[in-house]
Structures are given as structure tokens and as C-alpha cells.
């Protein structure tokens, strides 16, 4: 140990590590101010972290991810306003946002088998507050008593939009145009029986367009059903689950040929993600984490991402 001036230097071992001398009380004392108070150097202020963008999903079993492993997947990452513990499409959306470096606080309010009118009439106290984005998903055949009739849908989109605009005039409202139901297309009981597999999805898109035209504050449409149709047309998915699933193709429906399979919900969430954020779904990559967790292969994830990207590009081009 060697003394030097007012400090003490310690030489440690053969490595020669030196510890700087400690300042004396005189050296370390802060300078007094004119008023006799102590003057300390102000630490640089840290900018407050921006609040996450809020998004609310309102829908039914199609939003919940019913009859698939997606239903309760990562439910803890989103807020279920009903406390039912669903993850579904909202949780997939959240996972995609996190991987893309986007900060969204995701909530959902759902009830299986119900229309938007039910949510407005029975549940609006749960969601009557400001939101940045609201995604509305109507009952699959639009009107249970009169399949394909968009009248109630158009009315309820207008009511919902007025409610949310009152809370936040800048709210971004999107309408989900859902997929063709195989049971409505390939069985005699179906309203779209005997028509091409794209017919129901096309009608749902047309209904969404009418609702948007009637309520111009609606910002856009999420073309989920048309993405499903594209997946079938390009050979990614099989168009008819009743005659067996072709080798190396996906079945977008689950066992009831009504709700979606994991692949179907994954595609739905990809289209929603791309439509809302403007991020190319293929940027998530073949190794996207939720696809692997839910049992989709890298090739399947990449194929579905490409379908979503291409359908969104078509929508953007106005085709």
C-alpha cells in the first residue's frame, strides 16, 4: 500500500488493478449557493414512455378462436372485459405486435353466437370509453332469422360508431368481413348451398361495404373471408372439407366446418394485424413464435403470411 497526497492507492495482486483515491470531505462537498443551499448537478430528465395504443375487439366465437387451441392461448396478454379468459384472435394480434416492436394494449368483449346489436344493447357499459382502434365482427350469417340480410348489421355499425366517436372523435373503426362457412355452402341446409365457395365471403364483404358507406366514419374493412378464398385459390388451403383434405393443404375450418381451425384463426389474425398496423405480415417470418406454439410448421406459417400480404395489397390497390 502506498500513500499519495490526500488519497490512498491500493495495488492489488500482480494484475496491477488500481482503485482511484477517494475524495476528501473538502473535495467532495458541493459548492454552496448564494442562498447558502447546496447546489447539485441536475440529472438529465428521462422522457416519459408513451402510452400503448388501445384496441378493442368486439365479436363472437370467431373472435374468441372457438373450437381451437387458439381460444385460450396467451389469454393473460389481453384483457377480456367479460372475464371469460379468452385469447383468440386478439391474443394472436398482440403477439404479432410485440414481435414487430409495436405497443398495443389489447382488449376484447365477446359472446358466442351473438350479433353486434346484442353487444350494444346488453354490454355497452363494459366498453363505453375512449379507444384508439375498435374492430367489429358481426354474426357469421349477418342475421340469424334472415341469413344474408345486412339491415341490422348496417344499423348496429352506425350505433356502435356513434358511441365510440363520442368518446374519441379520432377512433379508428374497422369491420371484419368474415369467412365462408363450409356448412353453409356444401350442405342443403345452408343459405349459400350450391354456390361457389367464395360466394358467402363475397356477400359478407359486400355487406361490410354497405355498412361503411352508410357510416363514413368507419375507416376500413378487414378482408378475412377474401384472404381465406385466396388461400384456397392458390392451393394453400383445401376448399371442401367434406371430400377430404388434399395432401399438403390446410383445412381452415375446424371439425364443425363452421368455425376456424388454428390455421384459419392464424390467417384471420394476420390479416387483422396487417390491416390495422400497416405492417407486412410476411415481415414476421417463417419462424414466427405463435405459429410454432400452436402447431403450424414454418412452411405453413410462411404460406399464410404470404396470403395475408397479397390480399391486403389487393385491398390497398382497390381491386
Amino acid at each position: 500500500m502506498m500513500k499519495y497526497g490526500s488519497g490512498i492507492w491500493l495495488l492489488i495482486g500482480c494484475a496491477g488493478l488500481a482503485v482511484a483515491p477517494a475524495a476528501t470531505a473538502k473535495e467532495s462537498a458541493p459548492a454552496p449557493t448564494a442562498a447558502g443551499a447546496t447546489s447539485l448537478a441536475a440529472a438529465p430528465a428521462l422522457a416519459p414512455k408513451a402510452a400503448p395504443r388501445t384496441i378493442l375487439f368486439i365479436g363472437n366465437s370467431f373472435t374468441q378462436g372457438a373450437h381451437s387451441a387458439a381460444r385460450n392461448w396467451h389469454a393473460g396478454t389481453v384483457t377480456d372485459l367479460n372475464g371469460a379468459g379468452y385469447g383468440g384472435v386478439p391474443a394472436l394480434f398482440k403477439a404479432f405486435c410485440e414481435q414487430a416492436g409495436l405497443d398495443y394494449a389489447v382488449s376484447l368483449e365477446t359472446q358466442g353466437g351473438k350479433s353486434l346489436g346484442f353487444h350494444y344493447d346488453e354490454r355497452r357499459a363494459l366498453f363505453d370509453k375512449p379507444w384508439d382502434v375498435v374492430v367489429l365482427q358481426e354474426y357469421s350469417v349477418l342475421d340469424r332469422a334472415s341469413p344474408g340480410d345486412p339491415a341490422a348489421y348496417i344499423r348496429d355499425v352506425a350505433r356502435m360508431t356513434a358511441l365510440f366517436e363520442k368518446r374519441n372523435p379520432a377512433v379508428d373503426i374497422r369491420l371484419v368481413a368474415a369467412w365462408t362457412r363450409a356448412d353453409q355452402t356444401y350442405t342443403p341446409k345452408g343459405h349459400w348451398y350450391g354456390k361457389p365457395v367464395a360466394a358467402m365471403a363475397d356477400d359478407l364483404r359486400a355487406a361490410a361495404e354497405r355498412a361503411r358507406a352508410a357510416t363514413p366514419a368507419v375507416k376500413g374493412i378487414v378482408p378475412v373471408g377474401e384472404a381465406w378464398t385466396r388461400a384456397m385459390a392458390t392451393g394453400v388451403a383445401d376448399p371442401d372439407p367434406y371430400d377430404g383434405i388434399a395432401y399438403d393443404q390446410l383445412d381452415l375450418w375446424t371439425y364443425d366446418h363452421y368455425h376456424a381451425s388454428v390455421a384459419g384463426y392464424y390467417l384471420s389474425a394476420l390479416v387483422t394485424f396487417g390491416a390495422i398496423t400497416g405492417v407486412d405480415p410476411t415481415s414476421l417470418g417463417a419462424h414466427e413464435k405463435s405459429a410454432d406454439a400452436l402447431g403450424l410448421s414454418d412452411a405453413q406459417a410462411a404460406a399464410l403470411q404470404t396470403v395475408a400480404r397479397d390480399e391486403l395489397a389487393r385491398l390497398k390497390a382497390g381491386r
Side-chain angles (χ1 to χ4, degrees):
M1 176 168 61
M2 179 176 63
K3 293 184 179 180
Y4 182 78
S6 61
I8 297 177
W9 287 86
L10 297 178
L11 300 182
I12 303 175
C14 60
L17 176 63
V19 179
T24 64
K26 182 178 179 179
E27 290 170 337
S28 61
T33 64
T38 300
S39 175
L40 297 175
L46 297 177
K49 183 180 178 182
R53 191 164 170 77
T54 60
I55 182 169
L56 170 67
F57 289 80
I58 296 180
N60 47 55
S61 56
F62 282 15
T63 297
Q64 292 170 356
H67 304 310
S68 84
R71 186 185 67 178
N72 303 107
W73 183 82
H74 279 204
T77 66
V78 298
T79 300
D80 186 335
L81 299 183
N82 294 308
Y86 294 125
V89 171
L92 284 165
F93 175 89
K94 174 73 172 179
F96 299 159
C97 286
E98 289 178 341
Q99 291 171 80
L102 303 175
D103 192 8
Y104 276 81
V106 180
S107 299
L108 63 146
E109 195 285 295
T110 63
Q111 182 64 51
K114 297 297 184 179
S115 68
L116 291 176
F118 166 85
H119 294 283
Y120 183 88
D121 293 335
E122 304 293 335
R123 300 277 181 83
R124 68 177 180 271
L126 294 174
F127 52 74
D128 185 8
K129 55 186 173 181
W131 301 92
D132 293 317
V133 185
V134 177
V135 181
L136 302 176
Q137 181 253 310
E138 182 55 289
Y139 182 64
S140 61
V141 298
L142 301 179
D143 188 316
R144 187 186 294 274
S146 182
D149 183 352
Y153 178 39
I154 293 168
R155 177 202 67 204
D156 293 331
V157 166
R159 292 198 294 166
M160 284 284 198
T161 300
L163 181 148
F164 290 119
E165 277 199 306
K166 185 176 180 180
R167 292 294 192 172
N168 175 18
V171 63
D172 182 349
I173 295 179
R174 306 296 179 101
L175 307 180
V176 175
W179 55 84
T180 290
R181 282 173 48 179
D183 67 321
Q184 286 285 326
T185 300
Y186 296 111
T187 65
K189 68 178 182 179
H191 180 73
W192 287 268
Y193 177 63
K195 294 183 179 181
V197 71
M200 182 175 176
D202 290 345
D203 285 352
L204 296 179
R205 169 63 187 276
E209 291 287 2
R210 289 183 60 182
R212 184 185 183 191
T215 306
V218 172
K219 298 295 192 298
I221 294 169
V222 182
V224 172
E226 289 163 298
W228 275 45
T229 300
R230 177 180 290 274
M232 297 171 200
T234 56
V236 173
D238 191 293
D240 185 355
Y242 289 96
D243 65 1
I245 305 303
Y247 176 75
D248 211 26
Q249 290 186 346
L250 288 163
D251 185 354
L252 296 178
W253 294 279
T254 191
Y255 56 83
D256 61 4
H257 310 316
Y258 170 168
H259 293 86
S261 63
V262 162
Y265 288 122
Y266 186 76
L267 179 54
S268 176
L270 286 169
V271 176
T272 305
F273 167 73
I276 299 298
T277 67
V279 175
D280 179 350
T282 64
S283 66
L284 296 169
H287 301 298
E288 193 279 316
K289 296 176 182 178
S290 56
D292 178 67
L294 289 169
L296 295 172
S297 71
D298 290 354
Q300 289 170 334
L304 291 169
Q305 290 169 16
T306 298
V307 168
R309 178 200 64 192
D310 292 349
E311 187 55 38
L312 289 168
R314 186 187 70 82
L315 179 68
K316 187 175 181 180
R319 299 195 300 271

